[in-house]
Amino acid sequence: GRMTRRFNWVPWSMTGPALALFTVMLLVPLALSAVLSFNAFDADKGPIAGTFTFAHYLHVVQDPYYYEIFWRTLRISALVTVVCILVGAPEAYILSRMGKPWRSIFLLVILAPLLISVVVRAFGWSMLLGPEGLINSVFKAIGIGPVKLLYNETAIVIALVHVMLPFMVIPVWTSLQKLDPWVENAALSLSASHFTTLRRVVLPQVMPGILSGSLIVFGLSASSFAIPGLLGGRRVKMVATLIYDEYLNELNWPLGAAIALILLAANLVIMLGWNRMIESRYKKTLAEVSWTDATQIGLSQALAINPEQRSRLVLHLAFLMLKTHVLKHVVKQINPNNLSLVNLELKKLRLQIK
């Protein structure tokens, strides 16, 4: 007879609570906001339920005031993301090279700010960046004079970088944990420069971590509210503070919901486009760099810089080929199925010597 496949309830029962929480806390409010954004608004009555209009979306699209705020939000978010990449990626690389107990200590230092409220950190930066704060006191002492660092975009960028940096360091550090140190040493042992090794061996393997971190940092920066509200003042508005004003000051909930959905759509388009661009750019190099590829990088770099090293490099490769021959016989005795892989590596080494 025909065999019937029994439905397995175990996976659904285990993921059911998480799916229910996700639906109640995210999907339902998002759907209600979408419905609210199409409701008409009356200054005396407020939102009019049961009505349908595109007026709020047209109002945002046709008013240059909102273009300026959206552009400022995306520009600051992109700048924060770039600074976090430039600071967080080297920081994660140094952290991965540390030994015990320093690695644990510095990892705790990086994660410690996450234990403090964003509001508390924003007030801390307001005291540091204020006219009588520590930074301006140092500027006065060295003769630069007071510099306006508070209630402008500079203060927002500084504070957001401080808040978002752990979200860049952790993904990159996680990617570096999967990196075989011998792959990097294979290029360095054949006189490849540290910059070439980082660019052609290390960077392609940590790109998934950089991509994940940049998406997290950009999304959180674009939707940040506390730091722009406390350090940007009333004149430097971002989209999140604008939504707050529409909801609580103007009481125009449909317009606030429309702005929130436009910000969500803009974030999705930019993040998906960035993800697609990085993946297509590093489609081939995102795969694991083999030991032989790293050897070729080091060999080409060394011969291009100093041709006198050819004899030493050829002897070194000959020694590596000898070790591969020994490995071939060992693998043949243990597991003949892996012999083709060893033969491939041996063929590559012979081509390098030639």
Side-chain angles (χ1 to χ4, degrees):
R2 180 180 299 178
M3 297 179 61
T4 58
R5 186 176 179 180
R6 298 180 59 184
F7 185 77
N8 190 1
W9 288 98
V10 175
W12 289 100
S13 62
M14 296 180 66
T15 58
L19 291 175
L21 181 65
F22 178 80
T23 302
V24 173
M25 301 299 294
L26 181 64
L27 296 182
V28 172
L30 191 61
L32 293 176
S33 298
V35 173
L36 180 62
S37 66
F38 291 105
N39 287 341
F41 174 76
D42 184 82
D44 297 325
K45 300 178 182 179
I48 304 175
T51 58
F52 184 86
T53 179
F54 287 101
H56 307 297
Y57 290 95
L58 294 176
H59 178 67
V60 175
V61 172
Q62 295 173 355
D63 194 340
Y65 170 73
Y66 297 104
Y67 280 96
E68 179 184 356
I69 295 178
F70 271 92
W71 168 243
R72 180 186 298 121
T73 300
L74 298 178
R75 185 180 70 250
I76 290 177
S77 302
L79 180 59
V80 170
T81 303
V82 171
V83 175
C84 285
I85 292 175
L86 296 178
V87 176
E91 187 176 349
Y93 182 79
I94 295 173
L95 182 66
S96 67
R97 294 296 181 266
M98 286 183 176
K100 297 179 180 180
W102 296 108
R103 179 186 298 177
S104 301
I105 294 174
F106 278 89
L107 186 61
L108 181 62
V109 171
I110 293 171
L111 296 178
L114 297 178
L115 303 177
I116 304 174
S117 171
V118 177
V119 177
V120 175
R121 281 183 280 177
F123 276 116
W125 278 111
S126 66
M127 290 187 289
L128 287 174
L129 300 174
E132 303 298 328
L134 177 62
I135 297 178
N136 268 311
S137 299
V138 174
F139 286 162
K140 292 178 183 178
I142 61 179
I144 297 179
V147 180
K148 183 175 176 56
L149 298 174
L150 195 60
Y151 304 129
N152 52 28
E153 294 184 9
T154 303
I156 297 175
V157 171
I158 292 174
L160 282 178
V161 168
H162 175 245
V163 172
M164 302 300 170
L165 192 58
F167 297 104
M168 177 62 67
V169 173
I170 298 305
V172 177
W173 179 69
T174 303
S175 297
L176 286 169
Q177 298 305 300
K178 303 175 183 178
L179 174 64
D180 186 359
W182 287 105
V183 176
E184 184 179 355
N185 293 335
L188 292 174
S189 65
L190 291 174
S191 302
S193 64
H194 285 279
F195 176 76
T196 301
T197 304
L198 289 174
R199 181 174 60 89
R200 299 185 60 183
V201 177
V202 178
L203 182 60
Q205 299 189 73
V206 301
M207 280 307 299
I210 295 178
L211 176 60
S212 301
S214 61
L215 293 178
I216 296 172
V217 170
F218 183 87
L220 293 178
S221 300
S223 59
S224 177
F225 167 72
I227 289 177
L230 295 174
L231 299 181
R234 300 300 302 172
R235 288 181 294 180
V236 184
K237 284 184 177 294
M238 292 181 65
V239 177
T241 56
L242 176 64
I243 295 171
Y244 174 85
D245 289 339
E246 294 295 338
Y247 267 94
L248 297 183
N249 294 337
E250 303 295 333
L251 299 179
N252 192 344
W253 293 8
L255 180 58
I259 297 173
L261 291 176
I262 293 175
L263 175 63
L264 176 62
N267 272 342
L268 289 177
V269 171
I270 294 174
M271 293 168 69
L272 291 176
W274 172 250
N275 183 40
R276 178 65 62 87
M277 183 183 69
I278 294 297
E279 285 188 348
S280 60
R281 173 66 178 83
Y282 290 93
K283 187 176 181 180
K284 296 180 181 180
T285 56
L286 278 176
E288 182 180 358
V289 179
S290 68
W291 177 87
T292 305
D293 293 335
T295 303
Q296 292 173 344
I297 291 171
L299 179 62
S300 60
Q301 180 76 8
L303 294 181
I305 295 175
N306 189 1
E308 296 178 358
Q309 294 182 345
R310 290 185 181 182
S311 59
R312 183 176 65 86
L313 294 175
V314 170
L315 290 175
H316 185 68
L317 287 172
F319 175 70
L320 293 176
M321 190 177 71
L322 178 61
K323 291 198 299 184
T324 309
H325 270 295
V326 175
L327 178 62
K328 175 181 177 181
H329 292 289
V330 173
V331 171
K332 185 176 181 180
Q333 296 294 329
I334 298 176
N335 188 357
N337 295 329
N338 293 333
L339 190 59
S340 59
L341 181 60
V342 178
N343 286 331
L344 179 61
E345 295 293 326
L346 184 59
K347 183 178 179 180
K348 291 181 180 180
L349 285 173
R350 285 173 178 168
L351 291 175
Q352 291 174 32
I353 294 178
K354 292 179 181 180

